[in-house]
PDB file of all heavy atoms in Angstrom:
ATOM      1  N   GLU A   1       0.807  -1.217   0.019  1.00 35.00           N
ATOM      2  CA  GLU A   1      -0.029   0.009  -0.001  1.00 35.00           C
ATOM      3  C   GLU A   1       0.864   1.197  -0.003  1.00 35.00           C
ATOM      4  O   GLU A   1       1.768   1.360   0.790  1.00 35.00           O
ATOM      5  CB  GLU A   1      -0.891  -0.009   1.258  1.00 35.00           C
ATOM      6  CG  GLU A   1      -1.790   1.213   1.381  1.00 35.00           C
ATOM      7  CD  GLU A   1      -2.489   1.231   2.718  1.00 35.00           C
ATOM      8  OE1 GLU A   1      -2.249   0.357   3.509  1.00 35.00           O
ATOM      9  OE2 GLU A   1      -3.352   2.138   2.929  1.00 35.00           O
ATOM     10  N   LYS A   2       0.646   2.141  -0.956  1.00 37.00           N
ATOM     11  CA  LYS A   2       1.405   3.384  -0.991  1.00 37.00           C
ATOM     12  C   LYS A   2       1.021   4.269   0.189  1.00 37.00           C
ATOM     13  O   LYS A   2      -0.098   4.335   0.581  1.00 37.00           O
ATOM     14  CB  LYS A   2       1.057   4.168  -2.294  1.00 37.00           C
ATOM     15  CG  LYS A   2       1.881   5.459  -2.408  1.00 37.00           C
ATOM     16  CD  LYS A   2       1.621   6.177  -3.688  1.00 37.00           C
ATOM     17  CE  LYS A   2       2.415   7.459  -3.757  1.00 37.00           C
ATOM     18  NZ  LYS A   2       2.198   8.181  -5.027  1.00 37.00           N
ATOM     19  N   ILE A   3       2.108   4.786   0.800  1.00 33.00           N
ATOM     20  CA  ILE A   3       1.873   5.600   2.052  1.00 33.00           C
ATOM     21  C   ILE A   3       1.665   7.071   1.588  1.00 33.00           C
ATOM     22  O   ILE A   3       2.507   7.641   0.965  1.00 33.00           O
ATOM     23  CB  ILE A   3       3.090   5.454   2.985  1.00 33.00           C
ATOM     24  CG1 ILE A   3       3.281   3.997   3.375  1.00 33.00           C
ATOM     25  CG2 ILE A   3       2.918   6.385   4.187  1.00 33.00           C
ATOM     26  CD1 ILE A   3       4.518   3.728   4.135  1.00 33.00           C
ATOM     27  N   VAL A   4       0.514   7.608   2.060  1.00 35.00           N
ATOM     28  CA  VAL A   4       0.262   9.051   1.786  1.00 35.00           C
ATOM     29  C   VAL A   4       0.800   9.824   2.919  1.00 35.00           C
ATOM     30  O   VAL A   4       0.443   9.668   4.085  1.00 35.00           O
ATOM     31  CB  VAL A   4      -1.273   9.286   1.643  1.00 35.00           C
ATOM     32  CG1 VAL A   4      -1.528  10.746   1.394  1.00 35.00           C
ATOM     33  CG2 VAL A   4      -1.847   8.448   0.508  1.00 35.00           C
ATOM     34  N   ARG A   5       1.744  10.734   2.606  1.00 35.00           N
ATOM     35  CA  ARG A   5       2.413  11.473   3.667  1.00 35.00           C
ATOM     36  C   ARG A   5       1.453  12.567   4.238  1.00 35.00           C
ATOM     37  O   ARG A   5       0.933  13.397   3.489  1.00 35.00           O
ATOM     38  CB  ARG A   5       3.674  12.171   3.143  1.00 35.00           C
ATOM     39  CG  ARG A   5       4.704  11.180   2.766  1.00 35.00           C
ATOM     40  CD  ARG A   5       6.023  11.895   2.313  1.00 35.00           C
ATOM     41  NE  ARG A   5       6.984  10.977   1.846  1.00 35.00           N
ATOM     42  CZ  ARG A   5       7.840  10.250   2.598  1.00 35.00           C
ATOM     43  NH1 ARG A   5       7.703  10.424   3.901  1.00 35.00           N
ATOM     44  NH2 ARG A   5       8.609   9.448   2.157  1.00 35.00           N
ATOM     45  N   GLY A   6       1.181  12.484   5.538  1.00 35.00           N
ATOM     46  CA  GLY A   6       0.270  13.377   6.160  1.00 35.00           C
ATOM     47  C   GLY A   6       0.939  14.061   7.301  1.00 35.00           C
ATOM     48  O   GLY A   6       2.186  14.044   7.411  1.00 35.00           O
ATOM     49  N   PRO A   7       0.153  14.608   8.257  1.00 34.00           N
ATOM     50  CA  PRO A   7       0.774  15.273   9.450  1.00 34.00           C
ATOM     51  C   PRO A   7       1.627  14.289  10.224  1.00 34.00           C
ATOM     52  O   PRO A   7       1.225  13.163  10.476  1.00 34.00           O
ATOM     53  CB  PRO A   7      -0.477  15.727  10.260  1.00 34.00           C
ATOM     54  CG  PRO A   7      -1.532  15.784   9.188  1.00 34.00           C
ATOM     55  CD  PRO A   7      -1.296  14.714   8.244  1.00 34.00           C
ATOM     56  N   GLN A   8       2.830  14.703  10.663  1.00 32.00           N
ATOM     57  CA  GLN A   8       3.758  13.844  11.432  1.00 32.00           C
ATOM     58  C   GLN A   8       3.342  13.895  12.857  1.00 32.00           C
ATOM     59  O   GLN A   8       3.443  14.917  13.502  1.00 32.00           O
ATOM     60  CB  GLN A   8       5.196  14.332  11.239  1.00 32.00           C
ATOM     61  CG  GLN A   8       5.651  14.345   9.807  1.00 32.00           C
ATOM     62  CD  GLN A   8       5.749  12.946   9.223  1.00 32.00           C
ATOM     63  OE1 GLN A   8       6.329  12.097   9.844  1.00 32.00           O
ATOM     64  NE2 GLN A   8       5.120  12.743   8.064  1.00 32.00           N
ATOM     65  N   THR A   9       2.912  12.725  13.384  1.00 32.00           N
ATOM     66  CA  THR A   9       2.524  12.611  14.741  1.00 32.00           C
ATOM     67  C   THR A   9       3.579  11.881  15.618  1.00 32.00           C
ATOM     68  O   THR A   9       3.544  11.815  16.770  1.00 32.00           O
ATOM     69  CB  THR A   9       1.244  11.822  14.912  1.00 32.00           C
ATOM     70  OG1 THR A   9       1.382  10.529  14.272  1.00 32.00           O
ATOM     71  CG2 THR A   9       0.067  12.503  14.220  1.00 32.00           C
ATOM     72  N   VAL A  10       4.608  11.315  14.947  1.00 32.00           N
ATOM     73  CA  VAL A  10       5.704  10.574  15.623  1.00 32.00           C
ATOM     74  C   VAL A  10       7.015  11.332  15.322  1.00 32.00           C
ATOM     75  O   VAL A  10       7.328  11.578  14.167  1.00 32.00           O
ATOM     76  CB  VAL A  10       5.808   9.172  15.137  1.00 32.00           C
ATOM     77  CG1 VAL A  10       6.869   8.410  15.822  1.00 32.00           C
ATOM     78  CG2 VAL A  10       4.447   8.497  15.388  1.00 32.00           C
ATOM     79  N   VAL A  11       7.807  11.582  16.399  1.00 31.00           N
ATOM     80  CA  VAL A  11       9.031  12.279  16.239  1.00 31.00           C
ATOM     81  C   VAL A  11      10.154  11.264  16.440  1.00 31.00           C
ATOM     82  O   VAL A  11      10.292  10.566  17.496  1.00 31.00           O
ATOM     83  CB  VAL A  11       9.167  13.432  17.283  1.00 31.00           C
ATOM     84  CG1 VAL A  11      10.547  14.118  17.125  1.00 31.00           C
ATOM     85  CG2 VAL A  11       8.053  14.395  17.122  1.00 31.00           C
ATOM     86  N   CYS A  12      11.023  11.113  15.407  1.00 32.00           N
ATOM     87  CA  CYS A  12      12.183  10.204  15.502  1.00 32.00           C
ATOM     88  C   CYS A  12      11.816   8.723  15.767  1.00 32.00           C
ATOM     89  O   CYS A  12      12.518   8.081  16.445  1.00 32.00           O
ATOM     90  CB  CYS A  12      13.191  10.732  16.560  1.00 32.00           C
ATOM     91  SG  CYS A  12      13.943  12.278  16.123  1.00 32.00           S
ATOM     92  N   GLY A  13      10.620   8.404  15.374  1.00 36.00           N
ATOM     93  CA  GLY A  13      10.175   7.014  15.496  1.00 36.00           C
ATOM     94  C   GLY A  13       9.801   6.640  16.902  1.00 36.00           C
ATOM     95  O   GLY A  13       9.678   5.409  17.201  1.00 36.00           O
ATOM     96  N   THR A  14       9.559   7.548  17.780  1.00 42.00           N
ATOM     97  CA  THR A  14       9.240   7.227  19.131  1.00 42.00           C
ATOM     98  C   THR A  14       7.951   7.938  19.515  1.00 42.00           C
ATOM     99  O   THR A  14       7.587   8.997  19.066  1.00 42.00           O
ATOM    100  CB  THR A  14      10.370   7.597  20.195  1.00 42.00           C
ATOM    101  OG1 THR A  14      10.466   8.962  20.106  1.00 42.00           O
ATOM    102  CG2 THR A  14      11.624   6.918  19.861  1.00 42.00           C
ATOM    103  N   THR A  15       7.252   7.314  20.448  1.00 44.00           N
ATOM    104  CA  THR A  15       6.038   7.917  20.979  1.00 44.00           C
ATOM    105  C   THR A  15       5.850   7.348  22.429  1.00 44.00           C
ATOM    106  O   THR A  15       6.547   6.443  22.797  1.00 44.00           O
ATOM    107  CB  THR A  15       4.804   7.647  20.121  1.00 44.00           C
ATOM    108  OG1 THR A  15       3.680   8.290  20.659  1.00 44.00           O
ATOM    109  CG2 THR A  15       4.493   6.178  20.042  1.00 44.00           C
ATOM    110  N   SER A  16       4.914   7.923  23.135  1.00 41.00           N
ATOM    111  CA  SER A  16       4.649   7.415  24.460  1.00 41.00           C
ATOM    112  C   SER A  16       3.517   6.416  24.397  1.00 41.00           C
ATOM    113  O   SER A  16       2.684   6.425  23.483  1.00 41.00           O
ATOM    114  CB  SER A  16       4.220   8.615  25.415  1.00 41.00           C
ATOM    115  OG  SER A  16       2.956   9.151  24.981  1.00 41.00           O
ATOM    116  N   PRO A  17       3.441   5.526  25.428  1.00 42.00           N
ATOM    117  CA  PRO A  17       2.361   4.542  25.397  1.00 42.00           C
ATOM    118  C   PRO A  17       0.993   5.263  25.369  1.00 42.00           C
ATOM    119  O   PRO A  17       0.037   4.681  24.743  1.00 42.00           O
ATOM    120  CB  PRO A  17       2.575   3.744  26.712  1.00 42.00           C
ATOM    121  CG  PRO A  17       4.052   3.916  27.011  1.00 42.00           C
ATOM    122  CD  PRO A  17       4.353   5.320  26.474  1.00 42.00           C
ATOM    123  N   ALA A  18       0.831   6.387  25.985  1.00 39.00           N
ATOM    124  CA  ALA A  18      -0.432   7.069  25.980  1.00 39.00           C
ATOM    125  C   ALA A  18      -0.792   7.543  24.550  1.00 39.00           C
ATOM    126  O   ALA A  18      -1.937   7.397  24.120  1.00 39.00           O
ATOM    127  CB  ALA A  18      -0.445   8.243  26.907  1.00 39.00           C
ATOM    128  N   ASP A  19       0.149   8.038  23.802  1.00 43.00           N
ATOM    129  CA  ASP A  19      -0.105   8.485  22.488  1.00 43.00           C
ATOM    130  C   ASP A  19      -0.460   7.360  21.558  1.00 43.00           C
ATOM    131  O   ASP A  19      -1.381   7.472  20.719  1.00 43.00           O
ATOM    132  CB  ASP A  19       1.153   9.197  21.892  1.00 43.00           C
ATOM    133  CG  ASP A  19       1.484  10.484  22.601  1.00 43.00           C
ATOM    134  OD1 ASP A  19       0.540  11.043  23.208  1.00 43.00           O
ATOM    135  OD2 ASP A  19       2.638  10.962  22.562  1.00 43.00           O
ATOM    136  N   ALA A  20       0.277   6.223  21.763  1.00 42.00           N
ATOM    137  CA  ALA A  20      -0.066   5.000  20.970  1.00 42.00           C
ATOM    138  C   ALA A  20      -1.464   4.503  21.205  1.00 42.00           C
ATOM    139  O   ALA A  20      -2.255   4.152  20.308  1.00 42.00           O
ATOM    140  CB  ALA A  20       0.971   3.908  21.219  1.00 42.00           C
ATOM    141  N   GLY A  21      -1.894   4.496  22.496  1.00 41.00           N
ATOM    142  CA  GLY A  21      -3.234   4.059  22.806  1.00 41.00           C
ATOM    143  C   GLY A  21      -4.306   5.018  22.335  1.00 41.00           C
ATOM    144  O   GLY A  21      -5.362   4.559  21.877  1.00 41.00           O
ATOM    145  N   ALA A  22      -3.979   6.348  22.297  1.00 29.00           N
ATOM    146  CA  ALA A  22      -4.949   7.315  21.855  1.00 29.00           C
ATOM    147  C   ALA A  22      -5.184   7.105  20.335  1.00 29.00           C
ATOM    148  O   ALA A  22      -6.276   7.336  19.842  1.00 29.00           O
ATOM    149  CB  ALA A  22      -4.511   8.724  22.096  1.00 29.00           C
ATOM    150  N   ALA A  23      -4.139   6.658  19.598  1.00 60.00           N
ATOM    151  CA  ALA A  23      -4.272   6.453  18.201  1.00 60.00           C
ATOM    152  C   ALA A  23      -4.987   5.251  17.886  1.00 60.00           C
ATOM    153  O   ALA A  23      -5.382   4.917  16.712  1.00 60.00           O
ATOM    154  CB  ALA A  23      -2.900   6.425  17.533  1.00 60.00           C
ATOM    155  N   GLY A  24      -5.302   4.373  18.951  1.00 79.00           N
ATOM    156  CA  GLY A  24      -5.950   3.105  18.687  1.00 79.00           C
ATOM    157  C   GLY A  24      -5.192   2.029  17.979  1.00 79.00           C
ATOM    158  O   GLY A  24      -5.807   1.163  17.354  1.00 79.00           O
ATOM    159  N   LEU A  25      -3.889   2.127  18.028  1.00 88.00           N
ATOM    160  CA  LEU A  25      -3.077   1.108  17.292  1.00 88.00           C
ATOM    161  C   LEU A  25      -2.735  -0.050  18.165  1.00 88.00           C
ATOM    162  O   LEU A  25      -2.344   0.137  19.342  1.00 88.00           O
ATOM    163  CB  LEU A  25      -1.812   1.791  16.779  1.00 88.00           C
ATOM    164  CG  LEU A  25      -2.007   2.929  15.792  1.00 88.00           C
ATOM    165  CD1 LEU A  25      -0.582   3.516  15.380  1.00 88.00           C
ATOM    166  CD2 LEU A  25      -2.703   2.451  14.499  1.00 88.00           C
ATOM    167  N   PRO A  26      -2.755  -1.268  17.651  1.00 90.00           N
ATOM    168  CA  PRO A  26      -2.306  -2.445  18.421  1.00 90.00           C
ATOM    169  C   PRO A  26      -0.772  -2.407  18.621  1.00 90.00           C
ATOM    170  O   PRO A  26      -0.061  -1.743  17.821  1.00 90.00           O
ATOM    171  CB  PRO A  26      -2.687  -3.649  17.550  1.00 90.00           C
ATOM    172  CG  PRO A  26      -2.767  -3.128  16.137  1.00 90.00           C
ATOM    173  CD  PRO A  26      -3.236  -1.669  16.275  1.00 90.00           C
ATOM    174  N   GLN A  27      -0.325  -3.060  19.598  1.00 92.00           N
ATOM    175  CA  GLN A  27       1.091  -3.092  19.981  1.00 92.00           C
ATOM    176  C   GLN A  27       1.606  -4.547  20.052  1.00 92.00           C
ATOM    177  O   GLN A  27       0.912  -5.449  20.420  1.00 92.00           O
ATOM    178  CB  GLN A  27       1.378  -2.346  21.304  1.00 92.00           C
ATOM    179  CG  GLN A  27       0.959  -0.901  21.303  1.00 92.00           C
ATOM    180  CD  GLN A  27       1.057  -0.284  22.681  1.00 92.00           C
ATOM    181  OE1 GLN A  27       1.616  -0.822  23.633  1.00 92.00           O
ATOM    182  NE2 GLN A  27       0.479   0.957  22.805  1.00 92.00           N
ATOM    183  N   ALA A  28       2.898  -4.684  19.773  1.00 93.00           N
ATOM    184  CA  ALA A  28       3.506  -6.008  19.825  1.00 93.00           C
ATOM    185  C   ALA A  28       5.048  -5.821  20.018  1.00 93.00           C
ATOM    186  O   ALA A  28       5.568  -4.697  19.774  1.00 93.00           O
ATOM    187  CB  ALA A  28       3.187  -6.836  18.615  1.00 93.00           C
ATOM    188  N   MET A  29       5.735  -6.876  20.390  1.00 94.00           N
ATOM    189  CA  MET A  29       7.189  -6.841  20.566  1.00 94.00           C
ATOM    190  C   MET A  29       7.894  -7.415  19.281  1.00 94.00           C
ATOM    191  O   MET A  29       7.454  -8.384  18.695  1.00 94.00           O
ATOM    192  CB  MET A  29       7.563  -7.635  21.794  1.00 94.00           C
ATOM    193  CG  MET A  29       9.055  -7.647  22.103  1.00 94.00           C
ATOM    194  SD  MET A  29       9.485  -8.525  23.628  1.00 94.00           S
ATOM    195  CE  MET A  29       8.960  -7.258  24.799  1.00 94.00           C
ATOM    196  N   VAL A  30       8.990  -6.754  18.989  1.00 94.00           N
ATOM    197  CA  VAL A  30       9.750  -7.259  17.821  1.00 94.00           C
ATOM    198  C   VAL A  30      10.466  -8.501  18.133  1.00 94.00           C
ATOM    199  O   VAL A  30      11.221  -8.581  19.207  1.00 94.00           O
ATOM    200  CB  VAL A  30      10.861  -6.116  17.405  1.00 94.00           C
ATOM    201  CG1 VAL A  30      11.731  -6.690  16.292  1.00 94.00           C
ATOM    202  CG2 VAL A  30      10.099  -4.890  16.926  1.00 94.00           C
ATOM    203  N   ALA A  31      10.264  -9.565  17.353  1.00 94.00           N
ATOM    204  CA  ALA A  31      10.890 -10.837  17.665  1.00 94.00           C
ATOM    205  C   ALA A  31      12.073 -11.072  16.753  1.00 94.00           C
ATOM    206  O   ALA A  31      12.981 -11.807  17.134  1.00 94.00           O
ATOM    207  CB  ALA A  31       9.811 -12.017  17.362  1.00 94.00           C
ATOM    208  N   ALA A  32      12.132 -10.485  15.586  1.00 92.00           N
ATOM    209  CA  ALA A  32      13.318 -10.582  14.697  1.00 92.00           C
ATOM    210  C   ALA A  32      13.172  -9.581  13.616  1.00 92.00           C
ATOM    211  O   ALA A  32      12.042  -9.179  13.267  1.00 92.00           O
ATOM    212  CB  ALA A  32      13.357 -12.053  14.080  1.00 92.00           C
ATOM    213  N   VAL A  33      14.296  -9.234  12.986  1.00 90.00           N
ATOM    214  CA  VAL A  33      14.366  -8.310  11.871  1.00 90.00           C
ATOM    215  C   VAL A  33      15.198  -8.959  10.776  1.00 90.00           C
ATOM    216  O   VAL A  33      16.361  -9.229  10.979  1.00 90.00           O
ATOM    217  CB  VAL A  33      14.962  -6.945  12.220  1.00 90.00           C
ATOM    218  CG1 VAL A  33      14.939  -6.006  10.994  1.00 90.00           C
ATOM    219  CG2 VAL A  33      14.207  -6.338  13.375  1.00 90.00           C
ATOM    220  N   HIS A  34      14.593  -9.232   9.645  1.00 86.00           N
ATOM    221  CA  HIS A  34      15.282  -9.879   8.513  1.00 86.00           C
ATOM    222  C   HIS A  34      14.952  -9.158   7.156  1.00 86.00           C
ATOM    223  O   HIS A  34      13.859  -9.052   6.713  1.00 86.00           O
ATOM    224  CB  HIS A  34      14.842 -11.294   8.351  1.00 86.00           C
ATOM    225  CG  HIS A  34      15.153 -12.200   9.538  1.00 86.00           C
ATOM    226  ND1 HIS A  34      16.454 -12.442   9.942  1.00 86.00           N
ATOM    227  CD2 HIS A  34      14.367 -12.836  10.416  1.00 86.00           C
ATOM    228  CE1 HIS A  34      16.422 -13.212  11.035  1.00 86.00           C
ATOM    229  NE2 HIS A  34      15.202 -13.485  11.311  1.00 86.00           N
ATOM    230  N   HIS A  35      16.005  -8.553   6.555  1.00 78.00           N
ATOM    231  CA  HIS A  35      15.942  -8.049   5.200  1.00 78.00           C
ATOM    232  C   HIS A  35      14.720  -7.033   5.074  1.00 78.00           C
ATOM    233  O   HIS A  35      13.949  -7.166   4.075  1.00 78.00           O
ATOM    234  CB  HIS A  35      15.803  -9.152   4.156  1.00 78.00           C
ATOM    235  CG  HIS A  35      16.926 -10.156   4.288  1.00 78.00           C
ATOM    236  ND1 HIS A  35      18.280  -9.846   4.052  1.00 78.00           N
ATOM    237  CD2 HIS A  35      16.929 -11.469   4.637  1.00 78.00           C
ATOM    238  CE1 HIS A  35      18.986 -10.880   4.218  1.00 78.00           C
ATOM    239  NE2 HIS A  35      18.238 -11.918   4.612  1.00 78.00           N
ATOM    240  N   GLY A  36      14.592  -6.174   5.988  1.00 79.00           N
ATOM    241  CA  GLY A  36      13.469  -5.194   5.882  1.00 79.00           C
ATOM    242  C   GLY A  36      12.159  -5.626   6.434  1.00 79.00           C
ATOM    243  O   GLY A  36      11.226  -4.868   6.598  1.00 79.00           O
TER     244      GLY A  36
END
């Protein structure tokens, strides 16, 4: 899916748990990173 650039709500790839919850996004832990 092409990403439409909109208002930036995340600074330097970090946010607080409260902000993430307010956005209604699910959360999970990174288990591995392979080739992107």
Side-chain angles (χ1 to χ4, degrees):
E1 177 186 5
K2 182 178 179 180
I3 300 171
V4 179
R5 296 185 183 277
Q8 300 293 310
T9 57
V10 180
V11 180
C12 295
T14 62
T15 183
S16 68
D19 292 339
L25 297 177
Q27 299 174 8
M29 180 175 285
V30 174
V33 180
H34 296 299
H35 306 296

